[in-house]
Amino acid sequence: MLRFKKCLLGLALLGSISSYALEIGGTLADVSIPTKGELVLNKSKIDYKAWSTETIRRGSPALIFHLAARMSSDNIIAPLRSRLEERNFTPGSFQSISVVNINDAMWGTSGMVSGEMEKNKRAHPEATMVADDASRGLKAWQLKESSVAVILLDANGKIRYLKEGKLSSKDIDTIMSLLDKEIAQVASK
């Protein structure tokens, strides 16, 4: 009987641990990044401030990129970013949030990563860029190390799309289609 109770307790704990994983229709686990954090453009200077998932606005879809601080990450999302730029969406029609796991940078490259993030922030001041220096997002969302995740939240904060790893043309088409639908739903209200 004792063995059976231990087994049930183990299954209950396993279930509670896996409930934090991301799933379609679910929500993001809360993440707070108190050090490094969001890049803020202050005239020509870049400052950092604490960031958390609580800052993701309701009422607007959010496209979230979780990226390992590696060149391979940029190569994975480049085709999607190109499609997004080609579409020239109305400013404010959706939130673009990049959480870069700088804790996953190759040894000796963190300075280059920070410089690249600052350059991207200047080029896209409306986008939210977050430097995660302790893999907080990776751990909270139970993502794969050294990889990329693309997450689309609807205006209510529910996960509509989730993909980890390399994006196919079909994946990019799906993301664009779902993003269009989410933006249209908000516009029709």
Side-chain angles (χ1 to χ4, degrees):
M1 185 67 168
L2 185 58
R3 181 180 279 171
F4 179 71
K5 285 182 180 179
K6 284 183 180 179
C7 183
L8 283 178
L9 178 61
L11 288 173
L13 288 173
L14 183 62
S16 68
I17 290 168
S18 66
S19 68
Y20 290 110
L22 301 178
E23 57 186 44
I24 303 297
T27 58
L28 288 176
D30 291 335
V31 172
S32 179
I33 301 174
T35 56
K36 280 292 190 183
E38 182 178 352
L39 283 75
V40 179
L41 189 57
N42 185 3
K43 297 183 182 168
S44 64
K45 184 179 174 218
I46 298 285
D47 294 321
Y48 290 84
K49 71 175 187 176
W51 180 87
S52 77
T53 49
E54 292 178 9
T55 64
I56 300 173
R57 294 185 319 270
R58 296 290 192 254
S60 168
L63 187 58
I64 301 169
F65 301 91
H66 186 279
L67 311 156
R70 297 170 181 251
M71 288 299 293
S72 58
S73 297
D74 194 45
N75 293 337
I76 289 171
I77 63 166
L80 175 56
R81 285 219 168 126
S82 292
R83 288 277 300 276
L84 291 166
E85 288 173 5
E86 286 171 10
R87 283 292 310 280
N88 199 20
F89 286 97
T90 303
S93 60
F94 74 98
Q95 302 166 75
S96 175
I97 303 165
S98 295
V99 178
V100 180
N101 184 10
I102 61 173
N103 197 41
D104 195 8
M106 303 218 19
W107 188 84
T109 64
S110 61
M112 287 189 325
V113 170
S114 294
E116 202 55 34
M117 288 183 71
E118 290 180 9
K119 181 176 134 185
N120 286 335
K121 179 63 180 177
R122 286 183 176 94
H124 304 282
E126 72 289 347
T128 300
M129 294 188 186
V130 180
D132 183 355
D133 62 347
S135 303
R136 290 176 179 92
L138 181 88
K139 292 171 189 170
W141 299 337
Q142 297 181 7
L143 300 172
K144 296 174 189 165
E145 290 186 31
S146 305
S147 190
V148 170
V150 179
I151 307 160
L152 176 62
L153 302 180
D154 67 16
N156 298 313
K158 299 287 183 195
I159 298 171
R160 295 277 290 129
Y161 183 85
L162 167 64
K163 172 71 186 246
E164 285 188 83
K166 189 167 172 47
L167 297 172
S168 68
S169 297
K170 184 178 178 186
D171 292 327
I172 294 170
D173 290 343
T174 300
I175 293 166
M176 296 300 290
S177 175
L178 287 171
L179 183 58
D180 283 337
K181 286 178 188 174
E182 293 302 323
I183 291 170
Q185 279 187 333
V186 170
S188 69
K189 291 182 180 182

